[in-house]
Amino acid sequence: MQNERKKIRQEGFMQGILALIFSQVLIKLLGLIYKLYLTNKQGFGDEGNAIYSSGFQIYALLLTLSSIGVPNAVAKLVSERTSIGDNRGAHKIFKIAFITFGFIGFVGTLILFFGAKYIANVVLQIPEAEYSLIALSPSIFFVSVISVIRGYFNGKQTMKATANSQTIEQLFKTIFTIILVEIIGIISGINTTLMAAVANFATTLATIGSFIYLYKYYKMRRREIAYEVKTSINYKSNRVIHILKNILLVAIPMSLSSILTSVNKNVDSMTVVRGLKHFLSDQEAKIQYGILSGKVDTLITLPLSFNIAFATALVPALSASIARNDIETGKKRISFSLLVTMLISLPCTVGMIIFAKPILLLLFPNASSGERIFQIASLSIVFTSLEQTVNGALQGIGKAFVPAFALSFGVVTKIILNLILVSIPPETCVIGGAAGAAFATTVCHIIAFFIGFKILRKNIKLTINFTKFIIKPIIATVMMGICSFCIYNYLSGIIIEKMSIIISLVVAVVIYLLSIISLKIFDKEEINMIPYGAKIYSFLEKIGLYKAKKTPKNQ
């Protein structure tokens, strides 16, 4: 019976992760579609990306202050209550969080709406961003309440609500962005400022759509929730002020990490254009920032969409394990998540460095500059991904302040490096100009990861096999990189450039997967953690890649 329960929990963990991975990949692909459209759109391009992104980063900072730590905080507290049968207490946490963060989100909306002119002209020094900020302001309220609903269902280990609402939000955003920019482009005669504003207004419309879905999803499950509340056990009555205090005690440290991540992005929006103006014109400085914040940021966050699922699912899963006093299951989930993170992020880093120029030509034929910035920024992928997973684990075991503590050192370092490197012309230094900001981001995440990882190992005595976690993934990545690069060089002289890069990338994926299997990076238990893992392992045994352990005769 105990093994059966363990298996169900294991499958639930992986199914939740797979739902989130599918959702995140779809979201990033949809995001890539509208980014491709905007960047290749006549009259928008890198300059339009600069206006769009600068406004969006300020919005993201205010959004972080009002809600970003909320889903994980609510998920953690709800998970702890539901794991011991206190569904009534879990629902009370949800209601109080909904009212509290709804109010905070409304205040954030007012600040952005009325402060848009000052922020655009004084803080960003990009006056064209004012309309973008106004267009984004209502989103802060809607995302705040959305975050609470997502957190509640995540805490109940029902990832479907989060996955579907995020997908709907991004789908609406993509559709509305393309439609509204096309309409405004025709009416205004290709006015970049107005097109950037309506592209951001699409975000507001999309968040409203996501809120409507979640509200209907909650109503659909209201009877089931009411029954759970009625039959709740282990309920301990707490005053509203006590529950609110608990929510804030968890949400604030979790938000601090997100706030610092947003500050990290805003360091670029506040320093890159300023620094580049030392040796470039205003327009050229905006274009370089547009390359960094538009094209490059979009591409390097694609691999993170696979990994964010592990970081998200780890928080409620570990909280529930600790509430049940099942530390060993928690350790296995952390170890498995870190291994998969390494296997996802390392080949993405190497692949984007090798194929930087072809990828930019393939995706942005009308604005393909930025190869060096892209290559340097790609170095951050592996460390940002590992940092995400480590942060999810730290939050899950109750060390919510540690990610913020670790990232604060990274952000301070980034600010210093940005101020020094961005002002250096790229002709003088490889990591000068906008590439300097990309390099500073990489250093920031290296520092944050190593601090967080060290504290995590100290708290849960996590054992990491160096060969399995580092050496074998590097061997698989090197094999992939050499084979795909050779194939690309061979094909580029025979067929058209676009087809050669697509074929090379497909071959890279196949070679990498075969390398992982042949190197036996996953053991039997880890393969069994994957849905249909038993069947997969049985197949690998049949083809001789894994050997079945013989049972001794005397047993």
Side-chain angles (χ1 to χ4, degrees), residues 22 44 47 56 71 123 186 196 200 256 280 285 290 303-304 313 333 356 363 400 450 467 486 495 508 522 552:
F22 179 77
F44 200 93
E47 187 178 357
F56 193 87
V123 178
I186 294 166
N200 275 317
L256 280 175
L280 293 175
L304 303 182
R333 285 176 176 174
L363 298 176
F450 278 110
T467 301
C486 290
I495 59 176
F522 291 113

Side-chain angles (χ1 to χ4, degrees), residues 102-174:
F103 174 75
I104 294 170
F106 182 69
V107 172
T109 289
L110 294 177
I111 290 170
L112 190 59
F113 183 85
F114 291 107
K117 187 171 184 177
Y118 176 82
I119 294 167
N121 286 277
V122 179
V123 178
L124 297 174
Q125 290 193 359
I126 304 177
E128 299 92 338
E130 180 185 350
Y131 294 129
S132 290
L133 292 168
I134 292 170
L136 284 164
S137 59
S139 296
I140 296 177
F141 167 73
F142 285 104
V143 176
S144 296
V145 292
I146 284 169
S147 297
V148 176
I149 303 172
R150 285 175 179 167
Y152 176 64
F153 286 111
N154 284 357
K156 291 168 72 66
Q157 306 228 11
T158 307
M159 302 295 176
K160 180 183 174 182
T162 293
N164 288 352
S165 67
Q166 287 176 337
T167 304
I168 288 167
E169 186 176 328
Q170 191 71 329
L171 179 63
F172 282 0
K173 187 175 179 179
T174 303

Side-chain angles (χ1 to χ4, degrees), residues 61-263:
L61 178 59
L62 284 170
L63 190 63
T64 303
L65 291 168
S66 64
S67 65
I68 292 299
V70 175
N72 282 347
V74 174
K76 176 178 167 58
L77 294 171
V78 168
S79 177
E80 288 171 352
R81 291 288 90 207
T82 54
S83 67
I84 59 170
D86 184 11
N87 291 298
R88 186 178 172 187
H91 195 255
K92 191 172 182 179
I93 288 166
F94 163 68
K95 289 192 292 184
I96 293 167
F98 189 89
I99 295 167
T100 303
F101 290 101
F103 174 75
I104 294 170
F106 182 69
V107 172
T109 289
L110 294 177
I111 290 170
L112 190 59
F113 183 85
F114 291 107
K117 187 171 184 177
Y118 176 82
I119 294 167
N121 286 277
V122 179
V123 178
L124 297 174
Q125 290 193 359
I126 304 177
E128 299 92 338
E130 180 185 350
Y131 294 129
S132 290
L133 292 168
I134 292 170
L136 284 164
S137 59
S139 296
I140 296 177
F141 167 73
F142 285 104
V143 176
S144 296
V145 292
I146 284 169
S147 297
V148 176
I149 303 172
R150 285 175 179 167
Y152 176 64
F153 286 111
N154 284 357
K156 291 168 72 66
Q157 306 228 11
T158 307
M159 302 295 176
K160 180 183 174 182
T162 293
N164 288 352
S165 67
Q166 287 176 337
T167 304
I168 288 167
E169 186 176 328
Q170 191 71 329
L171 179 63
F172 282 0
K173 187 175 179 179
T174 303
I175 294 168
F176 287 138
T177 297
I178 295 170
I179 292 172
L180 292 175
V181 170
E182 275 298 316
I183 292 170
I184 294 299
I186 294 166
I187 294 171
S188 67
I190 314 297
N191 185 310
T192 307
T193 301
L194 290 179
M195 286 194 293
V198 295
N200 275 317
F201 184 61
T203 299
T204 296
L205 295 176
T207 56
I208 293 170
S210 179
F211 171 73
I212 291 169
Y213 165 79
L214 284 168
Y215 175 71
K216 288 189 173 181
Y217 183 83
Y218 177 80
K219 276 189 75 176
M220 185 178 71
R221 295 196 57 182
R222 193 163 54 183
R223 187 175 293 178
E224 177 191 333
I225 292 167
Y227 176 77
E228 287 175 348
V229 170
K230 189 178 178 181
T231 57
S232 181
I233 57 174
N234 296 324
Y235 174 67
K236 184 181 178 182
S237 180
N238 285 311
R239 293 169 60 196
V240 172
I241 193 72
H242 178 73
I243 294 171
L244 182 58
K245 182 183 173 184
N246 283 341
I247 293 169
L248 293 175
L249 280 173
V250 179
I252 288 171
M254 286 186 175
S255 293
L256 280 175
S257 181
S258 300
I259 289 165
L260 285 166
T261 301
S262 187
V263 167

Side-chain angles (χ1 to χ4, degrees), residues 400-467:
F401 273 109
V402 174
F405 169 76
L407 189 56
S408 63
F409 286 94
V411 171
V412 169
T413 306
K414 176 173 169 59
I415 292 169
I416 294 167
L417 288 174
N418 262 39
L419 293 172
I420 295 168
L421 297 174
V422 174
S423 301
I424 302 172
E427 299 81 18
T428 308
C429 176
V430 177
I431 52 172
F439 177 76
T441 299
T442 301
V443 174
C444 167
H445 291 295
I446 290 172
I447 292 169
F449 162 66
F450 278 110
I451 293 172
F453 183 64
K454 188 173 181 181
I455 294 171
L456 177 65
R457 286 191 70 181
K458 185 180 177 183
N459 277 273
I460 61 164
K461 306 294 186 292
L462 190 67
T463 304
I464 297 295
N465 184 311
F466 188 77
T467 301

Side-chain angles (χ1 to χ4, degrees), residues 29-43:
L29 289 175
L30 288 168
L32 181 61
I33 289 169
Y34 79 76
K35 276 290 184 179
L36 291 175
Y37 164 76
L38 291 176
T39 306
N40 291 307
K41 170 78 176 171
Q42 185 187 359

